[in-house]
Amino acid sequence: MGNIAACCRSFWCKPKNPDIRISLPAICFVWQIAMIILFGLFVRYDDESDAHWSEHKHKNNITSDIENDFYYRYPSFQDVHVMIFVGFGFLMTFLKRYSFGGVGFNFLIAAFGLQWALLMQGWFHSLDPNDGLIKIGIENIINADFCVAGCLIAYGALLGKVSPVQLMVLTLFGITLFAVEEYIILNVLHVRDAGGSMVIHTFGAYYGLTISWILYRPKLDHSKNLSGSVYHSDVFAMIGTLFLWMYWPSFNSAIADHGDGQHRAAINTYLALAASVLTTFAISSLSAKKGKLDMVHIQNATLAGGVAMGTAAEFMISPYGSLIVGFVCGIISTFGYLVITPFMEKYLKIQDTCGIHNLHAMPGVLGGVVGAITAATASESVYGHEGLVNTFDFEGNYAKRTPATQGGFQAAGLCVALAFGIVGGAIVGFILRLPCCWGDPSDENCFDDEVYWEVPEDEESIPPILEYSSHMVGKNTDMMSQSNYTVEQS
Amino acid sequence: MGNIAACCRSFWCKPKNPDIRISLPAICFVWQIAMIILFGLFVRYDDESDAHWSEHKHKNNITSDIENDFYYRYPSFQDVHVMIFVGFGFLMTFLKRYSFGGVGFNFLIAAFGLQWALLMQGWFHSLDPNDGLIKIGIENIINADFCVAGCLIAYGALLGKVSPVQLMVLTLFGITLFAVEEYIILNVLHVRDAGGSMVIHTFGAYYGLTISWILYRPKLDHSKNLSGSVYHSDVFAMIGTLFLWMYWPSFNSAIADHGDGQHRAAINTYLALAASVLTTFAISSLSAKKGKLDMVHIQNATLAGGVAMGTAAEFMISPYGSLIVGFVCGIISTFGYLVITPFMEKYLKIQDTCGIHNLHAMPGVLGGVVGAITAATASESVYGHEGLVNTFDFEGNYAKRTPATQGGFQAAGLCVALAFGIVGGAIVGFILRLPCCWGDPSDENCFDDEVYWEVPEDEESIPPILEYSSHMVGKNTDMMSQSNYTVEQS
Amino acid sequence: MGNIAACCRSFWCKPKNPDIRISLPAICFVWQIAMIILFGLFVRYDDESDAHWSEHKHKNNITSDIENDFYYRYPSFQDVHVMIFVGFGFLMTFLKRYSFGGVGFNFLIAAFGLQWALLMQGWFHSLDPNDGLIKIGIENIINADFCVAGCLIAYGALLGKVSPVQLMVLTLFGITLFAVEEYIILNVLHVRDAGGSMVIHTFGAYYGLTISWILYRPKLDHSKNLSGSVYHSDVFAMIGTLFLWMYWPSFNSAIADHGDGQHRAAINTYLALAASVLTTFAISSLSAKKGKLDMVHIQNATLAGGVAMGTAAEFMISPYGSLIVGFVCGIISTFGYLVITPFMEKYLKIQDTCGIHNLHAMPGVLGGVVGAITAATASESVYGHEGLVNTFDFEGNYAKRTPATQGGFQAAGLCVALAFGIVGGAIVGFILRLPCCWGDPSDENCFDDEVYWEVPEDEESIPPILEYSSHMVGKNTDMMSQSNYTVEQS
């Protein structure tokens, strides 16, 4: 059933054929080979991961191996890595019959994306001027994971409605756009965004939402019976939620400044997330008959505080400031699930499977605004002179920049992220609608793993019933002894 | 069905009404706002997380950012964080229809509890005498997670029988009691308890058991059909078990002394846990027909070694000493599940859903005793002079204390933990029985997520049934349509 | 049903009796007590985990506690620990009714194995010549986890077909063989193998495959109905896959040299794993009708890149070299699942439940070869003089060894690992076939948790049915009570 795509599509009337037997292997092979060639041409180890490290130590008077950046950042890197693959992956297993696709395609596009991100970000940030090569170390692989996060957020809006081939294309362009956007925001505008409220979340969310808008499926309710969760799939999704929630302090602190920067970013994120949980439970309960909680809210809106602290986490926003941010985000995000997502689907024609508008777009924008305000109000009395310079990197060309100016640039950075998300999403969405062998599912087959996966038969209920009904006759004796047999099978 | 609470309660004859639509949001909002205000008044960054860190470095001749306590403790903190949210949370998903409540309410109360713990513990331990403000850093957030653990242990005894509103109250008082108890034990008595055998486990377990005793439900067998596990819920619970088991070395070493203290605590805990696993399997197999293992034992008693090493982990208990502790605890704890829990339920009227008496109470007390003995027998020949001073903090007012005296104080600390657990539990249990809008479930609705959660319908078996019934003929039709209906309910 | 083993076995005609009520507790108790005695006689803390650390610091001019090896390796240790217990454990939950056995027996044998490994490896590597005692620290417990990994790999081939008693024996001998093999490879031949492509994966896989070959069950298809997965069990297995995949960089870098060694090993492994994912998806899709992906491939072959980087990860294989290794391994491993596993089962009489030949044996051998080539082609121009000496440990007796010679020794090491795996497996396989009270299941009961576990009844559908049958009238009554009964059984 799931394999037969028979209906005509309204747009350019091309019948859907979700056969990806040629296209997916082709794209995987060609792109992976391209990665190998490009890595061969461009990518080498940096000073801290190269075997010349011991010479580098002597030259730079580094007394101990523990000063290698690896030891500052590796624990955070591993936490971020878990967020990308288990966090995002399992968060997307909530659909009753799309858990394979949720966790599996997340795995595929993240594994591709991080390679492409190492190259794209490397060209912009880690190019050695002496030899024109990209030198990678621990910070590069953290940033590659961050870059991938943007595309995984976008996948959240499209979950269940696109093919893995489309996802690979979305990732290729998404990473490219991300790297350019990031370069403009962080380097050209000299904006601080350690946890990526703007660079990652705002960009990723609007990128995904715009694509979803262009790929709008008017008849998506044909697969309505598969668009919800079942009991166990909701528990699986909680694995994703919790690993995202627990490791978010590492996400926001992973590439913050050594010492107090990382320390403060972790604490602020920890607090904002805690506050989000309480307001999420509150709004979720308040909105339902008898105060019954909705797993969708708990799985998602509890994370909004982490998103919104992405920019300001390393600033002196102070502990209560973090709590306020988390407090507000939990409310906004849960409210989004209750009101805005249905509104967007009905009136704006944006189908947002995971509700990324509520979890990433709104909190991301809010995070950018909070970051701008916190930066604009920074002062030497709070940070100390040296602290202010370190935190905002007011050095070199930027030695004269004031906090107020920095606040303005932060706001400009947010606009850049928005613009890249929307314009980029429009272009990529248009590409993904071209009549081509994308292999995307028909409206009837959305949210169904059967389309792209060999799904094991759950023998628990189906075979006995089918067999049974085919033998139905007259008196019940035969039927039941057979039923007896078949039920034992299950 | 799950929504209708209709029976009269024997005590004060108040009918149960598990509607929490007003009470839960109210408590979440009010308390979260209170947290924000209190944090605004009292909580600031400490020297190592403040932007003045670079000045602090100069002043204290700290040569490298890696000396920031963040790098000593952050990996352990993240492991502890995982234990609190995934470990405790998933361990409580084992019930067939209370997985949402197990992992969800765990999430809620931990997120509230850690904020309140930062304040309570801050007032006792981290108050800056200069400005009267609490200064927080990485060690504070680890301690807040520890503090929360005490309340989550208590939740284990009450799982499925109380409302989230009651849990919030339990947490508020639990954290408060914890902070006072901890202050008395660690500061007044100058007792060492890095992994909290006494402070966390003994206190938490007796706190929860006493509350459960006061909230005894004589007719709990009305919800007997939901008080067990199903196949997949047992696998989910193993996620919790394993993350607790694997990260317990981090739990016991997280706030131990830098250097050998953390190192030794991790090794000792690692060994004790391994020994617990073998004796748990042994007793579990020995106690059942044909030697069949019981998942309840494997999920819980394997962890007893970690609980019992909470106090002594940082001492020179020696590797074989750790193995002996784990060996004994695995036996005691499994034996508890087999004999003591049924006994307590039948004769002492204590209903202990997760068996915390076996996992936390007994091993916790044993851990306190082991700690007292190990401390009392400490000597300079084993520790070295400096090692002895560092390990037991025999400095300042305590410079003259001998190991034997220390052993006595350790034992006194255990008594304090017990007293606080039992007396505190009695008071809080009484409060939770007051005729008030607690929203707790009726006896028929215990262990049922339907009461507090929007539970998705498991539609898995409906489509075939529908198809089937449409082929039905003759007099079976009515019967089958009824079957259809009832299966849909399930 | 599952409990009655009635058929005669072709070999020595001994009927199977899977009762382990005496044998399992006996083996657990006796061996655990033996461990305690041996630890008491032989195992003490090393300089960095002993309370004399502060004196050791003074003596060796160590200025800071952060120089304690604990801080270099503890985060990696915890990641490896997660791989052993959650990674391997959940990877083996994929069978529809052997999830308890997969994760549970993995837990048991790992907990025993790590103790025995501390002793065996301690005698070979950490014996203090002054007092004849084993001194343990963080590196020892990482190595113990590594050693256990070899036995867990072997378990993968035997999953569902052996008893826990047999697994304990397999582990006892496996650890012993491992320690000897490791000593020969690492110390006698002075081979580098930080991530254990040869020492762990090649040895473990051939050890398990040889045992499986000797324990061949011609009538295994009698339990064919349980040898597959169901939807949720495949999602559980993805938890194992992802934690293995994410933490593999820690596995390969955990005991690499401080500084650039660990740093480079993590990056290389990260890249190889990413490339494996793409080629696994490609081959999996290419091989199936309509390009449908197979979860078995995604769960396993995506990890092959990590296995194959075990030896070369710390070498200067360069980023694109890592990608090539991952690229090739993803192809080979997926191809193995498609072609070689069925071939081996049919023609070589090797039943390999988890396909360890594809995931560990072939990539492990390839990893050894890659390591030998990379070592043989190492040069001072790439490594720098100091780097070359550090990376290959060309010091002391080995100061004169050239990279080319090293390459030869690496190849010799691979042969040793293979020989130990095959010969050791043959011996242990023969032991496990001796007519003894092993308690292994009959062919009908393989892959069935019912044999060794108290499996909860899945009562999900019973209550409605009961209700229903109580309403039955007339001639259907008998039939329904029967139906009722059989459903309860299921």
Side-chain angles (χ1 to χ4, degrees), chain C residues 12-24:
Chain C
W12 291 346
C13 287
K14 194 166 181 304
K16 299 277 187 195
N17 176 10
D19 187 334
I20 51 169
R21 189 168 180 181
I22 304 305
S23 52
L24 184 64

Side-chain angles (χ1 to χ4, degrees), chain B residues 18-94:
Chain B
D19 188 335
I20 51 169
R21 189 167 181 181
I22 303 306
S23 52
L24 184 64
I27 212 167
C28 287
F29 272 124
V30 172
W31 291 8
Q32 185 59 56
I33 291 167
M35 288 300 119
I36 291 172
I37 295 169
L38 290 169
F39 269 67
L41 294 173
F42 288 106
V43 182
R44 298 294 179 270
Y45 304 113
D46 74 4
D47 284 335
E48 314 204 59
S49 58
D50 191 281
H52 290 84
W53 160 251
S54 50
E55 293 164 23
H56 177 81
K57 272 199 300 180
H58 304 322
K59 209 160 44 190
N60 294 275
N61 270 324
I62 297 167
T63 53
S64 166
D65 281 330
I66 199 91
E67 290 291 334
N68 193 304
D69 200 32
F70 182 78
Y71 301 103
Y72 285 91
R73 304 204 186 277
Y74 190 69
S76 309
F77 159 67
Q78 276 295 3
D79 296 350
V80 171
H81 215 41
V82 172
M83 291 174 73
I84 299 298
F85 290 90
V86 162
F88 282 104
F90 272 85
L91 191 58
M92 293 198 266
T93 59
F94 76 98

Side-chain angles (χ1 to χ4, degrees), chain A residues 20-21 24-29 32 104-105 107-108 111-112 115 168 452-453, chain C residues 238 241 245 272-288 291-306 323 325-338 358-359 363:
Chain A
I20 52 169
R21 188 168 181 179
L24 184 64
I27 213 167
C28 287
F29 271 124
Q32 186 58 55
F105 296 148
F107 194 15
L108 172 66
F112 165 68
Q115 298 177 55
M168 290 292 282
Y452 303 116
W453 297 86
Chain C
M238 279 304 287
T241 299
W245 194 91
L273 287 161
S276 282
V277 174
L278 271 88
T279 49
T280 299
F281 272 81
I283 301 288
S284 183
S285 178
L286 199 58
S287 66
K292 288 194 183 188
L293 298 157
D294 188 331
M295 261 290 168
V296 171
H297 307 153
I298 309 307
Q299 282 158 10
N300 292 282
T302 50
L303 301 166
L323 289 180
V325 171
F327 185 92
V328 172
C329 282
I331 296 172
I332 290 179
S333 185
T334 315
F335 184 77
Y337 281 96
L338 289 164
N358 315 306
L359 174 48

Side-chain angles (χ1 to χ4, degrees), chain A residues 262-488:
Chain A
Q262 290 195 283
H263 201 152
R264 193 164 56 248
I267 292 173
N268 286 333
T269 311
Y270 172 91
L271 291 171
L273 286 161
S276 282
V277 175
L278 270 87
T279 49
T280 299
F281 272 83
I283 301 289
S284 183
S285 178
L286 199 57
S287 67
K289 217 171 49 180
K290 295 188 180 286
K292 287 194 184 189
L293 298 157
D294 189 331
M295 260 291 168
V296 171
H297 306 154
I298 309 307
Q299 283 158 11
N300 292 282
T302 50
L303 301 166
V307 173
M309 286 306 290
T311 304
E314 59 175 346
F315 301 162
M316 292 286 287
I317 190 170
S318 81
Y320 72 90
S322 306
L323 288 180
I324 292 171
V325 171
F327 184 93
V328 173
C329 281
I331 296 172
I332 290 180
S333 185
T334 314
F335 184 76
Y337 281 95
L338 288 165
V339 175
I340 301 177
T341 299
F343 175 87
M344 280 170 48
E345 177 148 0
K346 197 162 175 194
Y347 298 104
L348 305 184
K349 310 293 180 204
I350 299 174
Q351 290 153 334
D352 179 4
T353 312
C354 294
I356 63 166
H357 187 261
N358 314 307
L359 174 49
H360 297 280
M362 291 191 297
V365 170
L366 186 75
V369 172
V370 168
I373 294 170
T374 319
T377 56
S379 68
E380 285 203 9
S381 66
V382 172
Y383 287 76
H385 175 69
E386 211 173 331
L388 194 67
V389 169
N390 288 345
T391 304
F392 294 99
D393 225 356
F394 288 156
E395 288 169 316
N397 293 333
Y398 305 97
K400 303 276 182 198
R401 193 181 272 190
T402 63
T405 323
Q406 180 68 25
F409 278 100
Q410 296 279 142
L414 180 57
C415 300
V416 173
L418 270 166
F420 264 82
I422 294 169
V423 176
I427 296 167
V428 174
F430 185 76
I431 292 171
L432 296 181
R433 281 200 79 164
L434 291 176
C436 174
C437 48
W438 292 118
D440 50 328
S442 65
D443 293 343
E444 290 75 27
N445 292 325
C446 284
F447 313 122
D448 191 352
D449 273 334
E450 285 281 353
V451 181
Y452 303 116
W453 297 86
E454 306 275 4
V455 177
E457 282 185 33
D458 274 355
E459 293 180 78
E460 282 169 13
S461 47
I462 297 172
I465 301 283
L466 286 175
E467 200 175 340
Y468 168 147
S469 65
S470 69
H471 289 281
M472 293 298 297
V473 278
K475 57 182 171 185
N476 295 310
T477 320
D478 291 348
M479 163 187 117
M480 279 339 251
S481 61
Q482 190 166 8
S483 162
N484 180 346
Y485 167 75
T486 52
V487 172
E488 274 186 310

